[in-house]
Amino acid sequence: MVKSSGWSGESKKTLLGVPIKPASTLECEGVTTSKLRIYDTASRSLRDFEPIRPGHASIYLCGATPQAQPHIGHLRSGVAFDILRRWLSAQGFDVAFVRNVTDIDDKILNKAAENNRPWWEWVSTYEREFTKAYNTLGVLPPSVEPRATGFVTQMVDYMQRLMDNGFAYAVDGSVYFDVAAWGKAEGSDYGALSGNRVEEMEQGETDNAGKRSPQDFALWKAAKPGEPSWPTPWGDGRPGWHLECSAMSTYYLGGNFDIHCGGLDLQFPHHENEIAQSHAAGDKFANYWMHNHWVTMAGEKMSKSLGNVLSISNMLEIVRPVELRYYLGSANYRSVLEYSEGALTEAAAGYRRIEDFVGKFEDLAVGQWTEGFEAAMNDDIAVPKALAEIHTTVRAGNKALASGNEEQARKLAESVRAMAGVLGVDPLEWRGTSAGSADSDGAATALDALVKAELDRRATARAEKDWATADEVRDRLAAAGIIVIDTPDGATWQLS
């Protein structure tokens, strides 16, 4: 949480025309000066965020199904909703953030079998890889991270409630949700989230034996030879994908909670079915639905089947972890993020402009964000607008330094720290951590210092119109594989 040092009369003033607000208006005044608005997928509208409990926010995020190495498509969701969480915390909310692990799944079982490994070892191996990736990109640990296999008791209870209400049935050890029965019930809204018509829905389940209708979906799958299973009143088996999340979310957050998050590709069938079974069981479930869009390459959704997966480890050979986080969080969470190496390195250069400005000050405190930043974040977490506000403040700070007004520049740098911290990219928070550089032995930090010294020498030469020396520095760096990029805020660099 970004903390304010207080809101004195002095801090209400503008600095070089940039109005400043406290880092936590809830903490300083008891109320927020503006209200967060969220695009709710279910209502297809921007809605004011009205928490169920004042001062508290409850969030459930559909997390990983660990079957292989995580790629940047997986981590975009983690970064996007980490920013949401940080903003709510910075405003003074007590946030309960639940992110699950789907640790039993057809894909996990198939991958483990193909590699002749126990399913539990396979999923544990890649769960650790996801945790490592989240940590490397500075994603805060969830309040709790439940695993599906630990909630069979709650799933049995859920299925019993659905059966008692007439919306589920058992066949040969499997249990299915009765879509037709729910569709006739008062208050049924099946298909409303995704906009699909029931008769056109395809659940994507290969085993339809015993179903009353192809539209019905599995709550529980009867045991098969060689597969893990758990006992239930209807027979041994394993959980259906959708039931897991309803059981885990409501166990920790209650039958009605604030926000349910996840990737756009989960709208149907997963989230549609979560809503159906939860409402049919008598739970109000989530008040808001937030979905992040995909990372694409050449217009195609990133997936293993397309062969265009970019693993986190590969990305960290190009940029530092904080720069990758900056890139993944830089677009509006509801927009497609089209990957290219050029876009990645451009984002890294943008982050370094922030880093370079903040790094000019010793013992820099966390200050106060600007009104523009607050307005951007309250506008459905509009990170592009928030980043524009950060860079505007960086330019104002550099202008103040150039004019010799170090006091104003310092205050603006403190403001930059507050805003960057909300986005999880405060340079001083990353400094000195192994996650702050692409390699942990300090080589990247040393290289950066050496190159910056050369760039300073070039800047002095250019100011003195010593073009021969300026060109000599640039050419020597180019020969070493370092590209010099001249920007309005000064020269920066990247590896060629």
Side-chain angles (χ1 to χ4, degrees), residues 457-458 461-462 465-475:
R457 190 163 76 89
R458 177 173 176 265
R462 284 162 62 94
K465 301 188 184 307
D466 181 1
W467 308 119
T469 298
D471 290 345
E472 182 265 330
V473 171
R474 182 197 60 207
D475 293 343

Side-chain angles (χ1 to χ4, degrees), residues 11-324:
S11 66
K12 293 182 183 178
K13 298 179 179 179
T14 61
L15 302 173
L16 289 183
V18 182
I20 304 296
K21 299 295 288 184
S24 175
T25 51
L26 276 178
E27 199 171 49
C28 297
E29 291 189 314
V31 293
T32 55
T33 56
S34 60
K35 187 178 289 291
L36 171 63
R37 304 193 77 203
I38 290 173
Y39 183 84
D40 173 33
T41 310
S43 65
R44 292 169 179 74
S45 65
L46 277 170
R47 296 173 53 204
D48 288 349
F49 177 59
E50 300 286 355
I52 296 167
R53 294 174 57 202
H56 296 261
S58 47
I59 303 174
Y60 183 83
L61 171 61
C62 282
T65 301
Q67 45 141 336
Q69 290 285 350
H71 57 66
I72 59 174
H74 296 131
L75 269 292
R76 187 187 184 190
S77 176
V79 170
F81 297 118
D82 183 61
I83 292 172
L84 167 69
R85 177 190 184 180
R86 287 172 181 265
W87 179 237
L88 287 168
S89 293
Q91 289 187 307
F93 284 95
D94 179 15
V95 182
F97 191 92
V98 181
R99 184 184 70 211
N100 81 297
V101 176
T102 299
D103 64 342
I104 188 72
D105 173 86
D106 289 343
K107 294 177 182 178
I108 291 170
L109 296 177
N110 291 338
K111 286 282 188 181
E114 288 169 11
N115 290 274
N116 196 30
R117 305 304 305 168
W119 71 273
W120 49 265
E121 179 199 54
W122 190 265
V123 73
S124 296
T125 297
Y126 290 107
E127 182 184 343
R128 288 192 295 273
E129 290 299 314
F130 270 86
T131 299
K132 178 182 176 182
Y134 286 130
N135 291 341
T136 298
L137 296 192
V139 175
L140 297 173
S143 305
V144 66
E145 193 167 28
R147 294 160 183 78
T149 54
F151 283 78
V152 172
T153 298
Q154 289 78 9
M155 294 181 212
V156 169
D157 177 68
Y158 232 95
M159 287 187 284
Q160 188 61 63
R161 289 162 60 192
L162 288 168
M163 287 188 172
D164 292 344
N165 291 344
F167 301 121
Y169 58 93
V171 178
D172 298 329
S174 293
V175 180
Y176 297 103
F177 183 83
D178 192 330
V179 170
W182 174 237
K184 297 174 184 176
E186 183 178 354
S188 173
D189 53 0
Y190 195 62
L193 180 72
S194 61
N196 290 325
R197 298 176 57 175
V198 175
E199 59 271 19
E200 297 173 352
M201 290 183 182
E202 173 55 57
Q203 296 292 348
E205 296 178 352
T206 56
D207 187 0
N208 292 316
K211 283 188 181 182
R212 294 175 182 172
S213 166
Q215 278 75 46
D216 295 350
F217 58 87
L219 300 168
W220 190 259
K221 299 182 178 183
K224 295 180 180 178
E227 287 190 354
S229 63
W230 291 260
T232 77
W234 309 283
D236 292 355
R238 59 183 175 88
W241 177 28
H242 318 301
L243 181 64
E244 298 170 351
C245 283
S246 288
M248 287 184 283
S249 60
T250 57
Y251 177 82
Y252 285 108
L253 302 177
N256 183 206
F257 56 92
D258 291 314
I259 305 172
H260 195 309
C261 305
L264 184 67
D265 52 331
L266 299 180
Q267 273 188 270
F268 182 84
H270 187 46
H271 291 164
E272 193 76 76
N273 291 347
E274 277 189 71
I275 292 172
Q277 66 198 9
S278 300
H279 288 183
D283 289 332
K284 190 175 179 182
F285 212 49
N287 284 358
Y288 301 83
W289 287 83
M290 299 179 71
H291 291 91
N292 66 280
H293 218 309
W294 303 324
V295 177
T296 61
M297 288 181 63
E300 297 282 357
K301 176 179 177 290
M302 192 166 291
S303 66
K304 293 177 178 59
S305 61
L306 292 175
N308 59 8
V309 174
L310 294 172
S311 71
I312 302 302
S313 58
N314 288 340
M315 292 296 93
L316 296 183
E317 294 179 3
I318 303 172
V319 294
R320 295 176 296 163
V322 64
E323 294 166 347
L324 180 56

Side-chain angles (χ1 to χ4, degrees), residues 340-364:
S340 71
E341 188 168 325
L344 177 62
T345 55
E346 182 180 345
Y351 171 76
R352 288 197 293 272
R353 288 194 289 274
I354 299 171
E355 183 181 43
D356 289 346
F357 173 59
V358 169
K360 293 173 181 177
F361 303 89
E362 297 292 334
D363 302 320
L364 191 65

